């Protein structure tokens, strides 16, 4: 595993973004692990997060595209942080864009904030995590309503590696259904590999009991 992936896993632990316990996902699945990018709360954390995203974006999509789209609400700071990192580290001046939950009828009107999207634009979507692929079905119509755009793909922070609507992973289903690439900074397999029975800052994050709970979860929801 690449060093930056190990560092990102530890970064998520430090920021309390990656948590272990009893949770329920947006799709209603009970899960022993949860990723909440809302816990990146400081300027230093967002700067570092943007750098990790930028690395994943550049390695999969390059930097020859026009818009980085982050769906409201969590995608808003993600798109800003990653677009700044792409500029700083790769010299790519890419517009950030997000949607509003409610259409604004005065001042800067419309459904979008940030850079506009129009005909011919190449768009990469940035999200925190995709579990069952439900959010992409809400996001794509918003982007496609702006014009004849080319959606290149989707980047998330963590690939949960579980089934979407069928037997395949949510990211694989998205690739096959919409015909674009998907990528993640790390997968849950990376997380388990790096943390299982390994002490980090004085404690073992994933011990045998938690590993068994994760294994049981994937027995039920893991992608085939």
């Amino acid at each position: 595993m690449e060093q930056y992936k190990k560092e990102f896993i530890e970064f998520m632990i430090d920021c309390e973004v990656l948590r272990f316990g009893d949770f329920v996902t947006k799709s209603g699945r009970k899960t022993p692990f949860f990723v909440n990018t809302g816990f990146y709360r400081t300027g230093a954390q967002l700067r570092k997060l943007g750098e990790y995203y930028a690395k994943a974006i550049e390695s999969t999509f390059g930097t020859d595209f026009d818009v980085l789209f982050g769906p409201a609400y969590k995608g808003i700071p993600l798109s800003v942080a990653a677009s700044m990192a792409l500029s700083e580290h790769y010299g790519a001046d890419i517009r950030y864009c997000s949607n509003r939950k409610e259409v604004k009828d005065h001042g800067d009107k419309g459904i979008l904030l940030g850079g506009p999207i129009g005909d011919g634009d190449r768009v990469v979507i940035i999200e925190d995590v995709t579990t069952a692929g439900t959010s992409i079905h809400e996001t794509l119509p918003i982007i496609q309503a702006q014009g004849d755009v080319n959606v290149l793909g989707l980047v998330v922070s963590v690939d949960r590696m579980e089934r979407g609507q069928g037997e395949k992973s949510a990211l694989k289903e998205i690739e096959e259904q919409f015909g674009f690439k998907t990528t993640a900074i790390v997968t849950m397999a990376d997380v388990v590999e790096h943390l299982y029975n390994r002490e980090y800052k004085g404690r073992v994050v994933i011990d045998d009991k938690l590993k068994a709970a994760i294994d049981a979860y994937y027995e039920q929801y893991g992608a085939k």
Side-chain angles (χ1 to χ4, degrees), residues 11-19 36 39:
F11 175 61
M12 288 193 291
I13 296 292
D14 291 342
C15 297
E16 299 185 341
V17 166
L18 174 60
R19 297 184 173 192
N36 184 356
F39 278 85

Side-chain angles (χ1 to χ4, degrees), residues 18 34 98 110 118 122 141 143 167-168 192 197 222:
L18 174 60
F34 198 73
S98 296
R122 297 155 298 174
I143 297 172
E167 294 299 309
K168 296 180 181 179
V192 173
N197 274 346

Side-chain angles (χ1 to χ4, degrees), residues 9 18 41 49 78-79 87 96 99 102-103 121 127 150 168 176 181 185-186 202 220:
I9 293 167
L18 174 60
R41 292 173 171 169
L49 175 64
L78 298 182
S79 64
S87 173
Y96 88 90
N99 63 295
E102 303 83 19
V103 177
D121 279 340
E127 290 192 355
N150 179 16
K168 296 180 181 179
E176 293 183 355
K181 295 178 182 178
I185 303 172
V186 295
Q220 184 173 7

Side-chain angles (χ1 to χ4, degrees), residues 2 19 28 31 34 37 46 48 62-63 81 92-93 107-108 115 117 119 126 132 135-136 138 150 155 171 177 196 206:
E2 296 97 322
R19 297 184 173 192
T31 173
F34 198 73
T37 56
L46 285 172
K48 201 167 183 179
T63 58
D93 197 19
D108 182 16
I117 301 176
D119 289 346
I126 183 170
S135 61
I136 198 72
E138 302 169 359
N150 179 16
V155 58
L171 290 183
Q177 181 175 357
Y196 177 48
I206 300 181

